[in-house]
Amino acid sequence: MNQLFKLSSSWFPIWLISLLMLVMVFVYLPIFKGAKQNMSDVPLIVVNEDKGKVGDAILLNLIEKQNGNSFKWEVDKSRKQAFTDIRNNKAYGALIIPSDYSKSLGRVHDTLISGLANDKPADLEILLNEGIGQTASMIASNTLQTVALTASKGISSQLKNELLQKGMRVAPENASLLENPVQVVSKNVLRLPVNLNKGMTPFVMALISSITGMLGANMIHGYLLRSNGILKKRGSALSESEVLTSEIIFGIILTFCVSIFIQLGVFGIFGSAHASNIWTIFLFTFFSCTTMFLLFKTIAVFLGGWGMLVMFPVNFMGIFSSGGAFPLSTLPTVHRLFSYILPTRYIVDGIRALLYYDGRLEAGLGPALLALSIYFVLTLAILIVFINLTKKYKEAVVDESGKKIEVEVGNEIPHEPPTHEQRESHHIGEKDGMFRQAVCNLAKGSNKEKQEMNDDEFRNALKSLDKNKK
């Protein structure tokens, strides 16, 4: 054992895995920077339907970067268009400036100046995309609320200055109106049921699909190799191409079973909300899970024993870059880059579109089907090519061996086949020799041969030896 510790190759896995874990710390830890983490390109919509000029002031005061964060503002022409964009999962939320916004603020101004009471503040509407997930929805709500409250405080400050210049005091019943001349009304566009699991259901389903693919590719390979070893002892071992074909078949069976269990757990036991038919969700889950299995199987075929070192970071990078647990806008640049490359993000988008957006292609299902289809076809084609190449290589080796045997047999000296009496005599001689060897070994303390013969044969051997002695 001491010699084993002295070999540098024995220490190589320790250094390699330690280095890999260090890299993963630098890759994954930046995701958890906390509430002060910068965000980039948060998709938000603003609609100005105001017929006056006050609504334009909100547009002018929208700051692209606030507290180190940047927002990707899209200006839609109407509330209906913003409503459609959110239903197609194009934005986290929208700020709607209604057509009577300037008129309502005018009434608030007149009420405060005249000292009249019982007037209402002007309205600003916020539309939220609750299907995007709790974190992203909270980001949208907080940002849009901040914009609306900033507008309200600005108007309140102007009204206070005007009243101060005129030496007027606000009636007690209008104090609240002066402080909050604008009220914000929030509305969930999708009107989803309460049981959304905080919008994490798509992420959990994608997570299970990814882990199933990685574990299935490795465990099925290991157990089929062991089973093939048993078949080899029986003289009916499978070829390498047949083993790989069997692995793919077993993998598809595995992903089918896991997809069924996912549906039973998510919708049967937990009763999670879903806008699309369960069978449609099942088919997409099965397709996603199978694609992940084929991807990891392809990695294993190319890298062999090193495949696990690649599968592990690929799996976790895909999970963290999926946009399921953390919105893509909050992730570092490297993770957003991998989100476009790895299939896990598209699994989350596809399941999310099926669960919350009525399975609309525009809501993410279309790009998800396209990306996963590319992965599926490409990996399956690679595996089929590898199977065919392995099969042809084995056949070529067998042909080479057969030709060599034919030459050797052809050069042998011809001889007559033995007669029946000769074969019988040879058989008896061999059996008698075996009996004598068994008794000899028994005398030396070996019971192996005794266990291999039945009792009648052993007694006959002893009788034969006894007769020879006499």
Side-chain angles (χ1 to χ4, degrees), residues 42 67 70 88 108 133 157 176 188 191 227 269-270 295 297 303 327 334 357 371 390 440 448 462:
V42 177
N67 299 325
S70 66
N88 288 333
V108 170
S157 178
S176 176
N188 291 328
R191 298 180 181 178
S227 300
I269 298 176
F270 291 100
L295 172 62
K297 187 67 231 175
L303 300 179
V334 62
Y357 302 97
T390 305
C440 180
K448 182 178 179 181
L462 292 177

CSV table of all heavy atoms in Angstrom, one decimal, residues 42 67 70 88 108 133 157 176 188 191 227 269-270 295 297 303 327 334 357 371 390 440 448 462:
chain,number,residue,atom,x,y,z
A,42,VAL,N,-33.7,44.0,-17.1
A,42,VAL,CA,-34.9,43.5,-16.6
A,42,VAL,C,-36.0,44.0,-17.5
A,42,VAL,O,-36.2,45.2,-17.7
A,42,VAL,CB,-35.2,44.1,-15.2
A,42,VAL,CG1,-36.6,43.6,-14.7
A,42,VAL,CG2,-34.1,43.6,-14.2
A,67,ASN,N,-29.8,52.6,-8.7
A,67,ASN,CA,-29.1,51.8,-7.7
A,67,ASN,C,-28.3,50.7,-8.2
A,67,ASN,O,-28.2,49.6,-7.7
A,67,ASN,CB,-30.2,51.2,-6.7
A,67,ASN,CG,-31.0,52.3,-6.0
A,67,ASN,OD1,-30.5,53.3,-5.7
A,67,ASN,ND2,-32.3,52.0,-5.8
A,70,SER,N,-30.1,48.0,-14.1
A,70,SER,CA,-30.5,48.5,-15.4
A,70,SER,C,-31.8,47.8,-15.8
A,70,SER,O,-32.0,46.6,-15.6
A,70,SER,CB,-29.5,48.3,-16.5
A,70,SER,OG,-29.3,47.0,-16.7
A,88,ASN,N,-47.7,36.6,-23.2
A,88,ASN,CA,-46.7,35.8,-24.0
A,88,ASN,C,-45.3,35.8,-23.3
A,88,ASN,O,-44.3,35.4,-24.0
A,88,ASN,CB,-46.6,36.5,-25.4
A,88,ASN,CG,-47.8,36.2,-26.3
A,88,ASN,OD1,-48.5,35.2,-26.1
A,88,ASN,ND2,-48.1,37.1,-27.2
A,108,VAL,N,-57.5,66.7,-8.5
A,108,VAL,CA,-56.8,66.7,-7.2
A,108,VAL,C,-56.3,68.1,-6.8
A,108,VAL,O,-56.4,68.6,-5.7
A,108,VAL,CB,-55.6,65.7,-7.2
A,108,VAL,CG1,-54.8,65.8,-5.9
A,108,VAL,CG2,-56.2,64.3,-7.3
A,133,GLY,N,-42.4,33.6,-11.9
A,133,GLY,CA,-41.7,33.2,-10.6
A,133,GLY,C,-41.8,34.3,-9.6
A,133,GLY,O,-41.9,35.5,-9.9
A,157,SER,N,-44.9,67.1,-3.9
A,157,SER,CA,-44.0,68.2,-3.6
A,157,SER,C,-44.4,69.5,-4.3
A,157,SER,O,-44.3,70.6,-3.8
A,157,SER,CB,-42.6,67.8,-4.0
A,157,SER,OG,-41.7,68.8,-3.7
A,176,SER,N,-54.2,63.4,3.5
A,176,SER,CA,-53.8,62.1,2.9
A,176,SER,C,-53.7,62.3,1.4
A,176,SER,O,-52.8,61.8,0.7
A,176,SER,CB,-54.8,61.0,3.3
A,176,SER,OG,-54.5,59.8,2.6
A,188,ASN,N,-52.8,41.1,-11.4
A,188,ASN,CA,-52.1,39.9,-12.0
A,188,ASN,C,-52.8,39.6,-13.3
A,188,ASN,O,-54.0,39.4,-13.4
A,188,ASN,CB,-52.2,38.7,-11.0
A,188,ASN,CG,-51.4,38.9,-9.8
A,188,ASN,OD1,-50.3,39.5,-9.9
A,188,ASN,ND2,-51.8,38.3,-8.7
A,191,ARG,N,-54.0,35.7,-13.8
A,191,ARG,CA,-55.1,35.2,-12.9
A,191,ARG,C,-55.0,33.7,-12.6
A,191,ARG,O,-55.9,33.0,-12.7
A,191,ARG,CB,-56.5,35.5,-13.5
A,191,ARG,CG,-56.8,37.0,-13.8
A,191,ARG,CD,-58.1,37.2,-14.4
A,191,ARG,NE,-58.4,38.6,-14.6
A,191,ARG,CZ,-59.5,39.1,-15.1
A,191,ARG,NH1,-60.5,38.3,-15.5
A,191,ARG,NH2,-59.7,40.4,-15.3
A,227,SER,N,-24.2,-6.8,-15.8
A,227,SER,CA,-25.1,-7.9,-16.4
A,227,SER,C,-24.5,-8.6,-17.5
A,227,SER,O,-24.6,-9.8,-17.7
A,227,SER,CB,-26.4,-7.3,-16.8
A,227,SER,OG,-27.1,-6.7,-15.7
A,269,ILE,N,-50.6,14.5,-6.5
A,269,ILE,CA,-50.4,14.7,-5.0
A,269,ILE,C,-50.5,16.1,-4.6
A,269,ILE,O,-51.2,16.5,-3.6
A,269,ILE,CB,-49.1,14.0,-4.6
A,269,ILE,CG1,-49.1,12.5,-4.9
A,269,ILE,CG2,-48.9,14.2,-3.1
A,269,ILE,CD1,-47.8,11.8,-4.6
A,270,PHE,N,-49.7,17.0,-5.2
A,270,PHE,CA,-49.6,18.4,-4.8
A,270,PHE,C,-50.7,19.3,-5.5
A,270,PHE,O,-50.9,20.4,-5.1
A,270,PHE,CB,-48.2,18.9,-5.1
A,270,PHE,CG,-47.2,18.3,-4.2
A,270,PHE,CD1,-46.4,17.3,-4.6
A,270,PHE,CD2,-47.0,18.8,-2.9
A,270,PHE,CE1,-45.4,16.8,-3.8
A,270,PHE,CE2,-46.1,18.2,-2.0
A,270,PHE,CZ,-45.3,17.2,-2.5
A,295,LEU,N,-28.0,13.6,-24.0
A,295,LEU,CA,-26.9,14.5,-24.0
A,295,LEU,C,-25.8,13.9,-23.0
A,295,LEU,O,-24.6,13.9,-23.4
A,295,LEU,CB,-27.4,15.8,-23.4
A,295,LEU,CG,-26.3,16.9,-23.1
A,295,LEU,CD1,-25.5,17.2,-24.3
A,295,LEU,CD2,-26.9,18.1,-22.4
A,297,LYS,N,-25.4,10.8,-22.1
A,297,LYS,CA,-24.9,9.6,-22.7
A,297,LYS,C,-23.8,9.9,-23.8
A,297,LYS,O,-22.8,9.2,-23.9
A,297,LYS,CB,-26.0,8.8,-23.3
A,297,LYS,CG,-25.6,7.4,-23.7
A,297,LYS,CD,-25.3,6.5,-22.6
A,297,LYS,CE,-23.9,5.8,-22.7
A,297,LYS,NZ,-23.5,5.1,-21.6
A,303,LEU,N,-16.1,10.7,-23.7
A,303,LEU,CA,-15.1,10.9,-22.6
A,303,LEU,C,-14.8,9.7,-21.8
A,303,LEU,O,-13.9,9.7,-21.0
A,303,LEU,CB,-15.4,12.1,-21.8
A,303,LEU,CG,-15.6,13.5,-22.5
A,303,LEU,CD1,-16.0,14.6,-21.5
A,303,LEU,CD2,-14.3,13.8,-23.2
A,327,PRO,N,-34.1,34.7,-11.6
A,327,PRO,CA,-34.4,35.3,-12.9
A,327,PRO,C,-33.1,35.6,-13.7
A,327,PRO,O,-32.0,35.9,-13.1
A,327,PRO,CB,-35.0,36.6,-12.6
A,327,PRO,CG,-35.6,36.4,-11.2
A,327,PRO,CD,-34.6,35.5,-10.5
A,334,VAL,N,-21.7,35.3,-17.3
A,334,VAL,CA,-21.3,34.0,-17.7
A,334,VAL,C,-22.5,33.0,-17.6
A,334,VAL,O,-22.7,32.1,-18.5
A,334,VAL,CB,-20.1,33.5,-16.8
A,334,VAL,CG1,-20.5,33.3,-15.4
A,334,VAL,CG2,-19.6,32.1,-17.4
A,357,TYR,N,-49.0,29.8,-19.3
A,357,TYR,CA,-49.3,30.6,-20.5
A,357,TYR,C,-50.1,29.9,-21.6
A,357,TYR,O,-49.9,30.2,-22.7
A,357,TYR,CB,-48.0,31.2,-21.0
A,357,TYR,CG,-47.2,32.0,-20.0
A,357,TYR,CD1,-46.1,31.4,-19.3
A,357,TYR,CD2,-47.5,33.3,-19.8
A,357,TYR,CE1,-45.4,32.2,-18.4
A,357,TYR,CE2,-46.8,34.1,-18.8
A,357,TYR,CZ,-45.8,33.5,-18.1
A,357,TYR,OH,-45.1,34.2,-17.2
A,371,ALA,N,-34.9,24.3,-29.6
A,371,ALA,CA,-33.6,24.0,-29.0
A,371,ALA,C,-33.5,22.6,-28.6
A,371,ALA,O,-32.5,21.9,-28.8
A,371,ALA,CB,-33.4,25.0,-27.8
A,390,THR,N,-18.8,1.1,-34.2
A,390,THR,CA,-18.4,0.0,-33.3
A,390,THR,C,-18.7,-1.3,-33.9
A,390,THR,O,-17.9,-2.3,-33.9
A,390,THR,CB,-19.0,0.2,-31.9
A,390,THR,OG1,-18.7,1.5,-31.4
A,390,THR,CG2,-18.5,-0.9,-31.0
A,440,CYS,N,-6.4,-39.2,-5.8
A,440,CYS,CA,-5.1,-38.7,-5.4
A,440,CYS,C,-5.2,-37.4,-4.7
A,440,CYS,O,-4.6,-37.2,-3.6
A,440,CYS,CB,-4.2,-38.6,-6.6
A,440,CYS,SG,-2.5,-38.0,-6.2
A,448,LYS,N,-12.1,-30.6,-4.1
A,448,LYS,CA,-12.7,-29.9,-5.3
A,448,LYS,C,-13.2,-30.9,-6.3
A,448,LYS,O,-14.4,-30.8,-6.7
A,448,LYS,CB,-11.6,-29.0,-5.9
A,448,LYS,CG,-12.2,-28.2,-7.1
A,448,LYS,CD,-11.1,-27.3,-7.7
A,448,LYS,CE,-11.6,-26.6,-8.9
A,448,LYS,NZ,-10.6,-25.7,-9.5
A,462,LEU,N,-13.5,-45.7,-6.9
A,462,LEU,CA,-12.9,-46.4,-5.8
A,462,LEU,C,-12.8,-48.0,-6.1
A,462,LEU,O,-11.9,-48.6,-5.8
A,462,LEU,CB,-13.6,-46.2,-4.5
A,462,LEU,CG,-13.5,-44.7,-3.9
A,462,LEU,CD1,-14.3,-44.6,-2.7
A,462,LEU,CD2,-12.0,-44.4,-3.7
